Amino acid sequence: MQMVKEKINNLMKENELSGAFLYKEKSLVLEGCNGYANRAEQRLIQMNTRFGIASGCKLFTAIAICQLVEQGKLRFNTKLQDCLTIELPHFDQAITIHHLLTHTSGIPDYFDEEVMDDFEELWIAQPMYLMRNLSDFLPLFQNHPMKLAVGERFHYNNAGYILLGLIIEKISEMTFEDYVRQNVFQKANMQESGYFELDALPKNTALGYIDLEDGSWKSNIYSVPVKGGADGGAFTTVDDISRLWEALISYKLLNERMTQQLLTPYINMDEHYDRFYGYGVWIDKKNEVISKYHVMGYDPGVSFHSAYYPLQSSISVVCVNQSEGAFDIFKVLQESMIK
């Protein structure tokens, strides 16, 4: 175990990666951190430092939707048009909650990774400092035509999760942030997690950094929405993400039947690799057996990977406050610890 830790520490130092990692398997705990939460002030990252996790928190949204289904307030086959009164003039009336959860709705995305490379391009016409509520994202996609037919194929879609968040707000009569805090974070004992605004970050929170080709850097405060929402952008710690997995697999967030529905491999992502998508979670199989549930997130100044390995009952979490690097650490943990 010490050799694995030294390997990761050397990797982080050699590649100037800043972040924190955690691996847990029964009584075994492997953890470490490196780099600065604030480069200008040279404030070091600690194990309790909060990091942005970008799309890694789509799982929070999926859990919230499943809770509402469990309570009988919603169904997975409920039509989008029956949930919201928002004007979506070009969206197919056949779109269901299931389609939104599995990225198969065919709706246009406000950041389409198949045609766009630079997330910062979005904020030229729509300043990022105005993006503080879920409804603020609607002008970016609500009047656009469908990209695909409903159910045609998987197309990773942030806009679909914005709509899921709006559905949560309407049904619960709470803000999305309040609902997740009370029904996900508190139930999982995730005391350090939240949807914080970049211009009002709490203590022990890492700024995200974008490293430029000339060796200089800038923070990501003008590169991502000022406040995260249902499609991503929450802040959390490696310990809190570990607690989330533990709460999920012990049925503290959903009952056993609903947990299994969330973790069902619905959409085959890569027939050569046996990678699937469930509700807000990626799922890998090996020899027809599920080997890994995982979440990930990338934004300018953010990279994040975490997984639960059911065969080992183990958890890995890697948070990095740079645009890349989390996967490299995650890969070392996986290859070294998972046999």
Side-chain angles (χ1 to χ4, degrees):
M1 185 171 72
Q2 187 60 33
M3 291 179 61
V4 177
K5 186 171 183 178
E6 289 179 3
K7 185 175 182 179
I8 294 174
N9 286 337
N10 290 336
L11 172 68
M12 295 181 79
K13 290 175 181 177
E14 289 171 4
N15 293 280
E16 298 183 336
L17 296 177
S18 58
F21 64 90
L22 172 68
Y23 180 85
K24 294 176 69 175
E25 184 176 343
K26 299 177 182 177
S27 60
L28 172 66
V29 177
L30 178 67
E31 62 182 17
C33 56
N34 182 70
Y36 295 114
N38 185 309
R39 292 184 181 180
E41 297 179 2
Q42 295 193 337
R43 176 164 53 85
L44 292 171
I45 287 171
Q46 308 291 338
M47 287 308 301
N48 66 343
T49 296
R50 298 178 174 101
F51 294 86
I53 62 169
S55 290
C57 51
K58 281 185 172 67
L59 180 56
F60 306 160
T61 303
I63 290 169
I65 287 289
C66 287
Q67 287 175 340
L68 296 175
V69 174
E70 185 177 299
Q71 296 164 20
K73 298 178 180 179
L74 193 65
R75 299 187 309 275
F76 293 123
N77 63 358
T78 300
K79 301 289 180 62
L80 169 62
Q81 65 173 351
D82 296 329
C83 297
L84 298 174
T85 57
I86 295 166
E87 288 294 323
L88 302 166
H90 306 297
F91 286 17
D92 196 306
Q93 295 184 0
I95 296 168
T96 66
I97 300 299
H98 173 83
H99 291 129
L100 295 172
L101 284 167
T102 56
H103 302 281
T104 56
S105 66
I107 69 170
D109 194 9
Y110 71 84
F111 179 66
D112 190 338
E113 296 179 8
E114 295 182 350
V115 298
M116 298 177 68
D117 294 321
D118 188 358
F119 196 52
E120 295 179 340
E121 293 177 13
L122 288 171
W123 318 124
I124 296 173
Q126 185 82 4
M128 47 67 60
Y129 55 79
L130 297 178
M131 313 302 286
R132 296 180 189 267
N133 302 291
L134 297 181
S135 58
D136 295 331
F137 289 84
L138 287 172
L140 297 176
F141 66 88
Q142 71 181 128
N143 292 310
H144 294 184
M146 293 283 289
K147 178 183 174 70
L148 300 162
V150 178
E152 179 178 341
R153 65 173 173 87
F154 179 96
H155 171 240
Y156 193 80
N157 198 299
N158 295 287
Y161 271 69
I162 292 292
L163 294 175
L164 289 170
L166 289 167
I167 291 168
I168 291 165
E169 289 190 333
K170 183 172 182 180
I171 292 177
S172 68
E173 298 183 336
M174 302 169 67
T175 66
F176 174 79
E177 176 187 2
D178 286 345
Y179 182 92
V180 172
R181 183 175 62 251
Q182 292 183 28
N183 296 281
V184 180
F185 296 161
Q186 289 182 8
K187 289 184 177 181
N189 195 29
M190 299 168 66
Q191 298 182 10
E192 303 301 319
S193 302
Y195 290 86
F196 309 126
E197 295 175 299
L198 292 180
D199 52 6
L201 290 176
K203 66 179 182 178
N204 295 333
T205 304
L207 291 174
Y209 289 99
I210 302 166
D211 294 296
L212 306 176
E213 291 183 1
D214 62 3
S216 63
W217 52 264
K218 64 179 181 178
S219 77
N220 68 349
I221 60 171
Y222 297 116
S223 304
V224 295
V226 68
K227 185 176 183 178
D231 63 330
F235 288 83
T236 187
T237 66
V238 291
D239 278 327
D240 272 7
I241 292 297
S242 175
R243 293 186 183 102
L244 175 75
W245 286 117
E246 290 168 349
L248 182 62
I249 62 177
S250 61
Y251 314 125
K252 293 179 180 177
L253 297 171
L254 300 163
N255 64 31
E256 183 174 359
R257 183 181 67 83
M258 192 58 64
T259 300
Q260 292 307 315
Q261 285 193 258
L262 181 137
L263 297 176
T264 294
Y266 294 106
I267 306 298
N268 191 337
M269 300 297 306
D270 186 342
E271 61 184 15
H272 302 293
Y273 187 67
D274 276 346
R275 172 158 293 173
F276 298 80
Y277 199 81
Y279 288 161
V281 62
W282 306 86
I283 303 168
D284 285 6
K285 285 185 177 182
K286 188 174 183 180
N287 298 323
E288 297 301 316
V289 176
I290 292 175
S291 60
K292 178 172 64 174
Y293 301 102
H294 55 121
V295 291
M296 67 186 83
Y298 287 91
D299 269 344
V302 176
S303 57
F304 164 79
H305 275 265
S306 181
Y308 172 69
Y309 302 90
L311 300 179
Q312 293 80 16
S313 297
S314 63
I315 295 167
S316 64
V317 189
V318 182
C319 297
V320 169
N321 60 330
Q322 294 164 271
S323 302
E324 298 178 347
F327 179 73
D328 295 329
I329 303 167
F330 180 80
K331 186 177 179 181
V332 172
L333 282 173
Q334 183 169 279
E335 292 179 348
S336 302
M337 307 302 292
I338 305 301
K339 305 301 180 183

